[in-house]
């Protein structure tokens, strides 16, 4: 909850700090770019896809199973034609399975006689329906239910990891964005101070030439200008450095880092 509150405050600050001119990079732009193209998000989405695929495969263990057996016995004393079809439906209840089947076996030889155990049936065949329930093994937990439960947990973990990755990425992107904004403000202030120092130097030089003040005042003004120029260079380098860090989150459509404008 604290972090969500932080994100809300960050949104307000971004609206206040970002320049309202069209084309200015905003925090929302960085967020959208990071969430769409950052490798961490792509990896989290891939893991979630894999987890959902594993869940689909685990659920397939409860699909109906069709078993078909055909037998032809010919060239001997007895000739038999047999077909056996059975459909089994696994259930998630104590490993039970419901099944239904049909079989027909016809002895077409000259010495035919009805014999169930020799695979022969009457001409209409035989229907069967039943329920298989394990007394102990596979009752409390069978492999199908275990695989499905494990896959469901895997999907939940992958989903939570994706959300956590997105939140962490937003936090890091927010830190990088405001560091870049602050560096830009500092660079602007440094440039303004340099302009003031240069203006002051011109005034001081003019007064020195007029003999109103001592020449040492001109030297002091020049020293101030040099110091302001060094500060401006340092501030500009800070802008470039923070822009490079921001480029880890601000990416183009291909996913390559894109350096924000200075």
């Amino acid at each position: 909850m604290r972090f969500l509150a932080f994100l809300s405050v960050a949104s307000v600050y971004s609206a206040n700090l970002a320049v309202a001119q069209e084309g200015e990079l905003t925090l929302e732009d960085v967020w959208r770019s990071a969430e769409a193209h950052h490798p961490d998000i792509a990896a989290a989405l891939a893991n979630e896809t894999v987890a959902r695929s594993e869940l689909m495969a685990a659920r397939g263990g409860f699909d109906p199973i069709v078993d078909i057996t055909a037998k032809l016995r010919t060239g001997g004393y007895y000739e038999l034609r047999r077909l056996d079809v059975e459909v089994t439906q696994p259930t998630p209840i104590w490993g039970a399975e419901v099944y239904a089947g049909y079989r027909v076996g016809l002895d077409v030889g000259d010495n035919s006689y009805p014999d169930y155990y020799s695979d022969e049936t009457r001409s209409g065949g035989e229907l069967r329906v039943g329920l298989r329930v394990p007394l102990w093994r596979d009752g409390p937990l069978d492999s199908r239910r275990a695989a499905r439960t494990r896959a469901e947990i895997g999907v939940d973990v992958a989903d939570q990891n994706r959300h956590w990755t997105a939140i962490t990425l937003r936090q890091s992107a927010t830190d990088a964005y405001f560091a870049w904004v602050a560096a830009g403000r500092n660079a602007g202030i440094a440039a303004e101070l340099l302009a003031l120092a240069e203006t002051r130097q011109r005034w001081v030089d003019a007064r020195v030439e007029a003999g109103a003040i001592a020449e040492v005042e001109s030297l002091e003004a020049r020293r101030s200008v040099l110091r302001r120029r060094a500060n401006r260079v340092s501030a500009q380098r800070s802008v470039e450095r923070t822009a490079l860090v921001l480029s880890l989150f601000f990416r183009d459509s291909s996913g390559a880092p894109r350096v924000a404008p200075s």
Side-chain angles (χ1 to χ4, degrees), residues 193-203 225 229 232:
L193 292 176
L194 174 59
L196 290 175
E198 290 175 342
T199 300
R200 177 176 177 272
Q201 181 185 3
R202 289 194 296 271
W203 292 345
V225 169
R229 285 178 180 173
R232 187 189 63 175

Side-chain angles (χ1 to χ4, degrees), residues 37-79:
H37 306 296
H38 198 277
D40 288 351
I41 293 294
L45 289 173
N47 290 335
E48 188 174 10
T49 300
V50 171
R52 294 189 182 279
S53 299
E54 292 176 350
L55 176 59
M56 183 180 297
R59 287 174 174 171
F62 292 91
D63 290 344
I65 302 171
V66 179
D67 186 14
I68 302 176
T69 303
K71 182 184 293 186
L72 170 63
R73 188 170 66 212
T74 185
Y77 188 72
Y78 298 105
E79 293 189 1

Side-chain angles (χ1 to χ4, degrees), residues 3-261:
F3 186 72
L4 294 177
F6 164 77
L7 291 180
S8 300
V9 173
S11 299
V12 174
Y13 280 159
S14 66
N16 292 333
L17 291 177
V19 178
Q21 296 177 354
E22 183 178 358
E24 178 72 14
L25 180 63
T26 65
L27 180 58
E28 287 75 12
D29 295 333
V30 177
W31 281 350
R32 284 193 295 268
S33 177
E35 291 173 358
H37 306 296
H38 198 277
D40 288 351
I41 293 294
L45 289 173
N47 290 335
E48 188 174 10
T49 300
V50 171
R52 294 189 182 279
S53 299
E54 292 176 350
L55 176 59
M56 183 180 297
R59 287 174 174 171
F62 292 91
D63 290 344
I65 302 171
V66 179
D67 186 14
I68 302 176
T69 303
K71 182 184 293 186
L72 170 63
R73 188 170 66 212
T74 185
Y77 188 72
Y78 298 105
E79 293 189 1
L80 179 70
R81 309 289 188 270
R82 180 194 178 194
L83 177 66
D84 193 340
V85 180
E86 182 175 284
V87 179
T88 303
Q89 175 62 63
T91 71
I93 304 174
W94 198 259
E97 296 179 344
V98 179
Y99 68 90
Y102 170 79
R103 76 176 187 130
V104 58
L106 301 177
D107 191 338
V108 297
D110 295 334
N111 298 290
S112 62
Y113 59 90
D115 186 354
Y116 181 87
Y117 295 102
S118 65
D119 297 327
E120 185 178 356
T121 65
R122 295 189 179 277
S123 60
E126 172 191 88
L127 287 173
R128 63 184 182 276
V129 178
L131 174 67
R132 301 188 186 98
V133 180
L135 295 179
W136 186 250
R137 181 181 179 180
D138 294 337
L141 184 63
D142 62 88
S143 59
R144 286 188 295 259
R145 282 179 288 164
R148 186 185 64 178
T149 302
R150 184 168 53 249
E152 289 173 346
I153 294 174
V155 169
D156 185 60
V157 170
D159 183 66
Q160 295 299 325
N161 285 339
R162 179 177 60 83
H163 285 293
W164 174 252
T165 299
I167 291 174
T168 304
L169 192 64
R170 276 202 172 195
Q171 182 181 17
S172 300
T174 300
D175 294 340
Y177 176 80
F178 283 118
W180 173 73
V181 170
R185 298 296 188 269
N186 290 336
I189 293 173
E192 292 178 1
L193 292 176
L194 174 59
L196 290 175
E198 290 175 342
T199 300
R200 177 176 177 272
Q201 181 185 3
R202 289 194 296 271
W203 292 345
V204 170
D205 289 343
R207 296 187 64 189
V208 169
E209 291 178 1
I213 57 177
E215 188 175 354
V216 69
E217 297 293 339
S218 178
L219 295 176
E220 174 62 24
R222 292 177 184 178
R223 186 183 66 82
S224 178
V225 169
L226 293 176
R227 185 175 69 253
R228 298 301 182 186
R229 285 178 180 173
N231 291 341
R232 187 189 63 175
V233 172
S234 177
Q236 186 60 33
R237 289 179 178 175
S238 179
V239 171
E240 296 171 356
R241 183 173 61 254
T242 54
L244 289 175
V245 175
L246 183 61
S247 68
L248 298 176
F249 310 97
F250 183 52
R251 296 172 177 263
D252 57 22
S253 57
S254 65
R258 180 169 50 176
V259 179

